[in-house]
Amino acid sequence: MPRNRAAPERPALTVDVVIFRLADERLETLLVRRGFPPFKGRWAIPGGFVHKNESLDAAARRELKEETGLEGIYLEQLYTFGDPKRDPRGRVVTVAYFALIPGTAAARAGDDAAEVGWYPLIKLPEIAFDHKNILQYALRRLRYKLEYSAIGFQLLPSEFTLAELQAAYEIILGEPLDKRNFRRRILEADVIEATGDYRSGTVGPRAALYRYRPDAVAEVKARRLFP
Amino acid sequence: MPRNRAAPERPALTVDVVIFRLADERLETLLVRRGFPPFKGRWAIPGGFVHKNESLDAAARRELKEETGLEGIYLEQLYTFGDPKRDPRGRVVTVAYFALIPGTAAARAGDDAAEVGWYPLIKLPEIAFDHKNILQYALRRLRYKLEYSAIGFQLLPSEFTLAELQAAYEIILGEPLDKRNFRRRILEADVIEATGDYRSGTVGPRAALYRYRPDAVAEVKARRLFP
DNA sequence: CTATAATCGTGTCAGAATTACACCATTTGG
DNA sequence: CCAAATGGTGTAATTCTGACACGATTATAG
């Protein structure tokens, strides 16, 4: 808290929300095409100014809803980027968040005229500002958290099969996992429970459906899921 | 990045730096006594406004130097607190950092008239603003990082004995560690190396001195030191 | 000078956790 | 009804973790 009496700089303050989803066997993120300079035509992480009397979390949640129409989504603060030169128009400090949206939630492509699109992280278009840094940072954090907490479920619909869950982990981590070991660990971690229903795949036996047990989060945080 | 054209709110932006040290077998933090309302007389985390053309990291480093006279200190961004009501005078968003200063560095008590003091985290005085939250958050992060990375060395002088290192870990984690297991793990992690010198303690055999291998940090981050 | 008390440094073993690995049963579609 | 894809299951070898004790060294007090 300031003790000096110098006039404070009052930078513009934005939140940027890195929104992840799983689609087409890839991890994708939502980007917005800029219609004005600077970086006209390049793609940016969706975000906007923090309003008066609005907390940072609330601003991020509002942005997320504006872009996707979704509420009740997993959202966490990532990092704050404040390099004086990161926006050529002047000082803009941004608090970056990342959000995970369940695969099924057909996030609509934004409710305003702006051009928006989902891009796989492995094949990003030309990115504006320092947003490539932010995306990389978000991906690192996602992978990291995936190993230690139950965050992976947030990218799946409320009911899913173990094969789907494993596929989600493999996509995000970028490496194959052993089926039997995966199942053992996930089940021993006690973070999911069978719904009792089954899903008929295209071919082969029916797969048991599971759901996430939200009350289990706290317990898991301490112990690595995938060492 | 903002797409809407609404006038941005421009909150005051500060950095607050939670500064930790080890002293008297305790983990201590540097606090500043407030001389003016609000929270006059209560203790706050040292911090101040971010200057024009100054990055957030640079601002934190500057604050750290102003308070302690120290440079080249371990410093990392912690979290950004932006609740609209966190400062009764108006909107102040603060980017919190935490710093670890080596035990020997006799941080001077600040270079201006303000009253500053080191307080053990287990016995804090009356705290201003939401700074108690920030301190708790910083402690949680410190403990967490201690288990996964080689951060603990930052609280010791450049050369130290294994007993001193173990004591540091025990103080921060708040629990005793087994001597032989501790030594095995630390040495196998390959993050420290013997200097070849020895220190004569008050009594007993001479203890080998070790130094931290800064190039080892990257390797360690992946693997838990103390599971 | 000697006795005492504190500290340094070291190894093993049991139990737990992790990894690697293969096959049969079921279901759908041709 | 046959083929092809997928679901589900167990074990053995290895590695990791945690518990545990004592002899050698040095400073200090008497």
Side-chain angles (χ1 to χ4, degrees), chain B residues 1-217:
Chain B
M1 205 35 42
R3 294 181 359 263
N4 50 342
R5 302 248 140 217
E9 194 196 3
R10 294 181 169 271
L13 183 69
T14 61
V15 290
D16 287 343
V17 186
V18 178
I19 307 170
F20 287 124
R21 75 166 186 189
L22 290 174
D24 295 329
E25 324 263 295
R26 297 175 306 194
L27 185 65
E28 295 186 340
T29 190
L30 189 67
L31 297 174
V32 179
R33 190 180 177 102
R34 290 185 52 82
F36 301 93
F39 298 105
K40 178 175 174 179
R42 298 181 89 163
W43 295 81
I45 300 166
F49 293 113
V50 177
H51 291 180
K52 262 180 187 284
N53 293 318
E54 183 183 49
S55 72
L56 302 174
D57 286 5
R61 236 165 245 299
R62 176 176 51 75
E63 278 300 327
L64 181 57
K65 184 171 179 209
E66 285 174 14
E67 294 299 335
T68 65
L70 297 173
E71 296 181 86
I73 293 299
Y74 181 88
L75 184 70
E76 99 175 32
Q77 188 184 305
L78 188 63
Y79 199 81
T80 298
F81 297 83
D83 190 273
K85 296 200 189 59
R86 60 179 294 282
D87 190 322
R89 292 166 297 183
R91 181 94 189 225
V92 180
V93 172
T94 194
V95 183
Y97 279 77
F98 83 91
L100 303 180
I101 74 176
T104 51
R108 67 171 189 271
D111 53 4
D112 51 22
E115 199 179 343
V116 301
W118 291 96
Y119 287 90
L121 286 165
I122 49 170
K123 207 177 170 183
L124 291 172
E126 293 283 300
I127 303 294
F129 302 104
D130 56 354
H131 287 192
K132 198 162 191 176
N133 275 349
I134 301 179
L135 289 170
Q136 279 171 354
Y137 195 93
L139 177 59
R140 213 179 332 144
R141 176 91 136 247
L142 173 61
R143 283 184 172 155
Y144 188 78
K145 290 209 82 163
L146 199 66
E147 298 183 350
Y148 290 89
S149 69
I151 207 178
F153 309 94
Q154 308 289 351
L155 286 162
L156 292 178
S158 59
E159 299 196 347
F160 48 86
T161 69
L162 289 181
E164 290 165 353
L165 183 59
Q166 181 178 346
Y169 274 75
E170 289 176 335
I171 290 167
I172 299 167
L173 296 177
E175 61 186 6
L177 300 172
D178 179 87
K179 180 161 68 162
R180 279 176 288 192
N181 293 340
F182 179 85
R183 291 159 111 88
R184 172 163 44 102
R185 283 209 187 94
I186 278 286
L187 294 176
E188 279 175 2
D190 229 30
V191 289
I192 61 178
E193 59 190 5
T195 65
D197 296 331
Y198 293 85
R199 170 176 304 164
S200 299
T202 51
V203 66
R206 296 165 310 161
L209 287 172
Y210 290 81
R211 78 169 70 88
Y212 171 47
R213 299 195 320 133
D215 48 315
V217 186

Side-chain angles (χ1 to χ4, degrees), chain A residues 178 180-181 184-185 201-206 227:
Chain A
D178 180 86
R180 279 176 287 192
N181 293 340
R184 177 163 41 90
R185 281 210 187 93
T202 53
V203 67
R206 296 164 310 161

Side-chain angles (χ1 to χ4, degrees), chain A:
Chain A
M1 214 24 53
R3 294 180 1 260
N4 50 342
R5 303 247 136 217
E9 193 195 1
R10 294 183 169 270
L13 183 69
T14 62
V15 291
D16 286 345
V17 186
V18 178
I19 307 171
F20 288 124
R21 76 166 185 189
L22 289 174
D24 295 329
E25 323 262 300
R26 297 175 307 195
L27 185 65
E28 295 185 341
T29 189
L30 189 67
L31 296 174
V32 179
R33 191 182 178 98
R34 290 185 54 81
F36 300 94
F39 298 104
K40 178 175 176 179
R42 299 182 87 165
W43 296 80
I45 301 167
F49 292 111
V50 177
H51 293 180
K52 262 179 186 286
N53 292 319
E54 183 183 50
S55 72
L56 302 173
D57 286 6
R61 235 164 245 297
R62 176 176 49 74
E63 278 300 325
L64 181 59
K65 186 174 178 202
E66 284 173 16
E67 294 299 336
T68 65
L70 297 173
E71 296 180 88
I73 294 299
Y74 181 87
L75 184 70
E76 97 174 32
Q77 189 184 306
L78 188 61
Y79 199 81
T80 298
F81 297 84
D83 190 271
K85 296 198 189 55
R86 59 179 295 279
D87 189 322
R89 292 167 297 184
R91 180 93 190 228
V92 180
V93 172
T94 194
V95 183
Y97 279 76
F98 83 91
L100 303 180
I101 76 175
T104 50
R108 66 171 188 271
D111 54 3
D112 52 23
E115 198 178 345
V116 301
W118 291 95
Y119 286 91
L121 286 166
I122 50 170
K123 208 177 170 184
L124 290 172
E126 293 283 298
I127 303 293
F129 303 104
D130 56 352
H131 287 192
K132 197 162 190 177
N133 275 348
I134 300 179
L135 289 170
Q136 280 169 356
Y137 196 94
L139 177 58
R140 211 178 334 143
R141 176 89 138 248
L142 172 60
R143 282 185 173 154
Y144 187 79
K145 289 210 82 163
L146 199 66
E147 297 184 351
Y148 289 90
S149 68
I151 206 176
F153 310 94
Q154 308 289 350
L155 287 161
L156 294 177
S158 60
E159 298 197 348
F160 49 85
T161 69
L162 289 180
E164 291 165 352
L165 184 59
Q166 181 178 346
Y169 274 76
E170 288 176 335
I171 291 167
I172 300 168
L173 295 177
E175 63 184 8
L177 299 172
D178 180 86
K179 180 161 68 164
R180 279 176 287 192
N181 293 340
F182 179 85
R183 292 161 108 89
R184 177 163 41 90
R185 281 210 187 93
I186 279 287
L187 293 176
E188 280 175 0
D190 230 30
V191 288
I192 60 179
E193 59 189 5
T195 65
D197 297 331
Y198 293 85
R199 171 179 303 166
S200 299
T202 53
V203 67
R206 296 164 310 161
L209 288 172
Y210 290 81
R211 79 168 69 88
Y212 172 47
R213 299 194 321 133
D215 47 314
V217 186
E219 310 161 24
V220 183
K221 291 241 164 167
R223 178 155 287 281
R224 280 189 82 157
L225 276 179
F226 297 93

